[in-house]
Tab-separated table of all heavy atoms in Angstrom:
chain	number	residue	atom	x	y	z
G	23	LYS	N	-1.272	54.332	12.663
G	23	LYS	CA	-2.671	54.676	12.442
G	23	LYS	C	-3.303	54.964	13.802
G	23	LYS	O	-3.281	54.123	14.692
G	23	LYS	CB	-3.394	53.536	11.731
G	23	LYS	CG	-2.909	53.340	10.306
G	23	LYS	CD	-3.484	52.079	9.692
G	23	LYS	CE	-2.947	51.817	8.309
G	23	LYS	NZ	-1.509	51.768	8.197
G	24	GLU	N	-3.834	56.160	13.929
G	24	GLU	CA	-4.405	56.621	15.197
G	24	GLU	C	-5.513	55.700	15.705
G	24	GLU	O	-5.740	55.588	16.897
G	24	GLU	CB	-4.946	58.042	15.010
G	24	GLU	CG	-5.267	58.757	16.290
G	24	GLU	CD	-4.044	59.254	17.047
G	24	GLU	OE1	-3.133	59.815	16.429
G	24	GLU	OE2	-4.026	59.078	18.270
G	25	SER	N	-6.185	54.985	14.805
G	25	SER	CA	-7.321	54.152	15.192
G	25	SER	C	-6.915	52.855	15.897
G	25	SER	O	-7.729	52.243	16.568
G	25	SER	CB	-8.159	53.813	13.961
G	25	SER	OG	-7.370	53.118	13.016
G	26	LYS	N	-5.650	52.434	15.732
G	26	LYS	CA	-5.204	51.200	16.388
G	26	LYS	C	-4.861	51.470	17.850
G	26	LYS	O	-4.184	52.451	18.152
G	26	LYS	CB	-3.959	50.647	15.676
G	26	LYS	CG	-4.252	50.021	14.331
G	26	LYS	CD	-2.994	49.545	13.651
G	26	LYS	CE	-2.340	48.423	14.423
G	26	LYS	NZ	-1.163	47.887	13.743
G	27	PRO	N	-5.303	50.606	18.767
G	27	PRO	CA	-4.941	50.814	20.173
G	27	PRO	C	-3.440	50.597	20.393
G	27	PRO	O	-2.825	49.744	19.758
G	27	PRO	CB	-5.764	49.754	20.917
G	27	PRO	CG	-6.110	48.730	19.903
G	27	PRO	CD	-6.126	49.426	18.564
G	28	VAL	N	-2.871	51.396	21.287
G	28	VAL	CA	-1.451	51.287	21.612
G	28	VAL	C	-1.332	50.959	23.098
G	28	VAL	O	-1.555	51.818	23.952
G	28	VAL	CB	-0.683	52.585	21.265
G	28	VAL	CG1	0.765	52.474	21.710
G	28	VAL	CG2	-0.785	52.881	19.779
G	29	ASN	N	-1.019	49.694	23.378
G	29	ASN	CA	-0.860	49.248	24.758
G	29	ASN	C	0.590	48.972	25.134
G	29	ASN	O	0.925	48.959	26.315
G	29	ASN	CB	-1.690	47.978	24.991
G	29	ASN	CG	-3.166	48.230	24.785
G	29	ASN	OD1	-3.718	49.188	25.322
G	29	ASN	ND2	-3.805	47.402	23.982
G	30	LYS	N	1.429	48.742	24.121
G	30	LYS	CA	2.841	48.431	24.366
G	30	LYS	C	3.699	49.213	23.374
G	30	LYS	O	3.479	49.138	22.168
G	30	LYS	CB	3.114	46.937	24.213
G	30	LYS	CG	2.353	46.079	25.222
G	30	LYS	CD	2.810	44.636	25.193
G	30	LYS	CE	2.019	43.854	24.176
G	30	LYS	NZ	2.362	42.419	24.187
G	31	ILE	N	4.680	49.952	23.915
G	31	ILE	CA	5.566	50.779	23.095
G	31	ILE	C	7.010	50.386	23.358
G	31	ILE	O	7.427	50.256	24.509
G	31	ILE	CB	5.373	52.275	23.412
G	31	ILE	CG1	3.929	52.700	23.143
G	31	ILE	CG2	6.366	53.132	22.614
G	31	ILE	CD1	3.596	54.110	23.607
G	32	LEU	N	7.753	50.222	22.284
G	32	LEU	CA	9.187	49.959	22.365
G	32	LEU	C	9.906	51.137	21.732
G	32	LEU	O	9.622	51.502	20.581
G	32	LEU	CB	9.544	48.665	21.623
G	32	LEU	CG	11.003	48.217	21.686
G	32	LEU	CD1	11.393	47.849	23.119
G	32	LEU	CD2	11.223	47.030	20.760
G	33	ILE	N	10.808	51.767	22.495
G	33	ILE	CA	11.572	52.915	21.997
G	33	ILE	C	13.029	52.491	21.851
G	33	ILE	O	13.620	51.943	22.782
G	33	ILE	CB	11.489	54.111	22.971
G	33	ILE	CG1	10.037	54.535	23.196
G	33	ILE	CG2	12.341	55.274	22.467
G	33	ILE	CD1	9.856	55.564	24.305
G	34	TYR	N	13.609	52.767	20.685
G	34	TYR	CA	15.047	52.575	20.475
G	34	TYR	C	15.734	53.923	20.619
G	34	TYR	O	15.425	54.875	19.904
G	34	TYR	CB	15.338	52.028	19.073
G	34	TYR	CG	14.932	50.593	18.859
G	34	TYR	CD1	13.960	50.267	17.926
G	34	TYR	CD2	15.534	49.567	19.580
G	34	TYR	CE1	13.587	48.950	17.714
G	34	TYR	CE2	15.163	48.246	19.380
G	34	TYR	CZ	14.195	47.940	18.446
G	34	TYR	OH	13.826	46.636	18.238
G	35	LYS	N	16.650	54.009	21.558
G	35	LYS	CA	17.477	55.213	21.740
G	35	LYS	C	18.872	54.726	22.102
G	35	LYS	O	19.238	54.582	23.253
G	35	LYS	CB	16.874	56.104	22.835
G	35	LYS	CG	17.571	57.438	22.965
G	35	LYS	CD	17.363	58.286	21.745
G	35	LYS	CE	18.037	59.635	21.911
G	35	LYS	NZ	18.504	60.198	20.663
G	36	LEU	N	19.644	54.447	21.072
G	36	LEU	CA	20.898	53.706	21.238
G	36	LEU	C	22.139	54.576	21.401
G	36	LEU	O	23.211	54.049	21.615
G	36	LEU	CB	21.107	52.795	20.018
G	36	LEU	CG	19.977	51.807	19.721
G	36	LEU	CD1	20.285	51.029	18.456
G	36	LEU	CD2	19.739	50.880	20.888
Side-chain angles (χ1 to χ4, degrees):
K23 292 171 184 55
E24 194 75 44
S25 60
K26 287 178 65 176
V28 176
N29 298 311
K30 297 189 272 184
I31 300 172
L32 183 65
I33 302 171
Y34 289 117
K35 187 67 178 149
L36 304 177

